[in-house]
Amino acid sequence: MDLAFTPEEQAFREDIRTWVKAHLPPEISHKVHNALRLTRDDMQRWAKILGKQGWLGWGWPKAFGGPGWNAVQKHLFEEECALAGAPRVVPFGPVMVAPVIMAFGNKAQQERFLPGIASGEVWWSQGYSEPGSGSDLASVKTRAERQGDKYIVNGQKTWTTLGQYGEWIFCLVRTSNEGKPQTGISFLLIDMKSPGVTVRPIKLLDGECEVNEVWFDNVEVPAENLIGEENKGWTYAKHLLSHERTNIADVNRAKRELERLKRIAKTEGVWDDLRFRDQIALLEVDVVALEMLVLRVLSAEKSGKNPLDIAGLLKIRGSEIQQRYSELMMLAAGPYSLPFIEEAMEAGWQGNFPGGVAANAPLASTYFNMRKTTIYGGSNEVQRNIVAQTVLG
């Protein structure tokens, strides 16, 4: 295992850094560095900039229009984007469904769907979780019944991230009740403008509607939108999730937010408090350790191995670190990490009062939002069970 970057990889990093600096809109970078609200236009604007360069599908092989980067190059690209203050690419299209379409879709599906994903023109959503089927994904109940050349879909998905912006959604649907639950699931692509699709935003603790319920009421879906074979969707779902293993650790954002924490501590006068500095140091050690774990995965990938069994470890540590840096930011700002008042934020009030710093205004919102990280993507309790079974034996 070699965790040192080669001269060629360092040169690649410099090229990426130079390009991002030249093309990332400063107003978007400012929002990211200060945890201000990103609009749909902000996120899609950056996606289209990457798409024009051919980098929105930065993990794609050249055969499908991607740059054909190896695992280390992809990591360096993600790191430089994060440190520069680029919005995190909404992953549902380029990172999740695209690899499934490449691996299991037919040529017509690839030609139809991949260009819109690569350009950033089409916004995709994920239809996995359902009420009562959180970490137990195999228990999904949304039903798709074949009628001639179409499926009739009925059911509900929930916690659909940014689903209010979605134009297409990839769904796990039940097409059979025979045998094990996993054997009756199919993978279906659904146009969210179809009659019978209803999106209902869910307001979270931070006042944002980041997630949604999506209802399907007799929605007609052409059978040609079925990926692969009927009742083989569980296999495709596992393939999709395998592409999240290092991404879900979010170590690059953690490194950026660690620097933001240090800025807040210095501004608020607690940087010289040795006990508080100890807490920052402990967090930094955890971030470095997580990065080393990610680099171990990348090193294994580069040598042709497939270390999927530690994906749970990446998720556990990454989510805990996200919660910890949001807590420390709140502690650093003290009373100036404003009690969350949604109406004031909506009105554009950013804490312009004596002693207050505008950058502290989003701290409570970020803190509340980060409560989710140990639950989504499979709760950490479930992840620990998986690690115990697959890693410890």
Side-chain angles (χ1 to χ4, degrees), residues 56-57 60 64 90-106 109-110 112-118 122-128 167-172 187-190 225-228 236-237 239-244:
L56 184 57
W60 296 16
F64 290 101
V90 178
F92 308 116
V95 179
M96 294 185 178
V97 74
V100 173
I101 295 173
M102 293 176 197
F104 305 105
N106 57 44
Q109 291 169 333
Q110 293 166 355
R112 178 184 179 189
F113 294 109
L114 292 180
I117 298 174
V122 181
W123 190 296
W124 281 81
S125 296
Q126 180 185 35
Y128 271 27
E167 295 163 300
W168 281 80
I169 185 170
F170 57 92
C171 284
L172 293 184
F187 196 102
L188 206 57
L189 310 181
I190 302 176
N225 290 4
L226 174 73
I227 294 295
Y236 314 146
H239 180 83
L240 180 153
L241 293 173
S242 74
H243 286 265
E244 288 189 283

Side-chain angles (χ1 to χ4, degrees), residues 134-150:
S135 296
D136 183 16
L137 192 57
S139 67
V140 294
K141 296 180 176 62
T142 296
R143 181 81 183 173
E145 297 183 17
R146 182 73 179 258
Q147 294 185 7
D149 60 354
K150 62 188 176 185

Side-chain angles (χ1 to χ4, degrees), residues 24-89:
L24 176 61
E27 61 273 22
I28 294 179
S29 176
H30 172 76
K31 286 185 176 182
V32 171
H33 279 304
N34 293 282
L36 301 176
R37 175 184 292 161
L38 289 168
T39 66
R40 182 190 193 278
D41 289 342
D42 290 332
M43 291 181 277
Q44 196 153 31
R45 182 182 175 190
W46 176 239
K48 289 179 178 179
I49 290 172
L50 290 175
K52 188 175 181 180
Q53 180 69 10
W55 288 354
L56 184 57
W58 72 97
W60 296 16
K62 288 184 178 180
F64 290 101
W69 292 336
N70 62 35
V72 173
Q73 289 173 318
K74 288 183 282 187
H75 171 76
L76 292 174
F77 169 78
E78 293 166 4
E79 181 175 65
E80 289 304 318
C81 287
L83 295 179
R88 190 179 184 193
V89 170

Side-chain angles (χ1 to χ4, degrees), residues 211-247:
V211 294
N212 301 261
E213 294 177 313
V214 181
W215 293 82
F216 302 94
D217 183 13
N218 289 323
V219 177
E220 296 186 3
V221 180
E224 64 189 26
N225 290 4
L226 174 73
I227 294 295
E229 297 179 47
E230 192 173 280
N231 300 326
K232 295 291 183 67
W234 187 252
T235 298
Y236 314 146
K238 290 191 296 182
H239 180 83
L240 180 153
L241 293 173
S242 74
H243 286 265
E244 288 189 283
R245 58 187 177 274
T246 56
N247 193 49

Side-chain angles (χ1 to χ4, degrees), residues 249 314-324 373-374 380:
L314 295 174
K315 196 273 176 177
I316 292 167
R317 295 305 293 138
S319 60
E320 291 174 344
I321 285 171
Q322 290 174 49
Q323 291 185 347
R324 186 59 180 152
T373 63
T374 49
N380 281 14

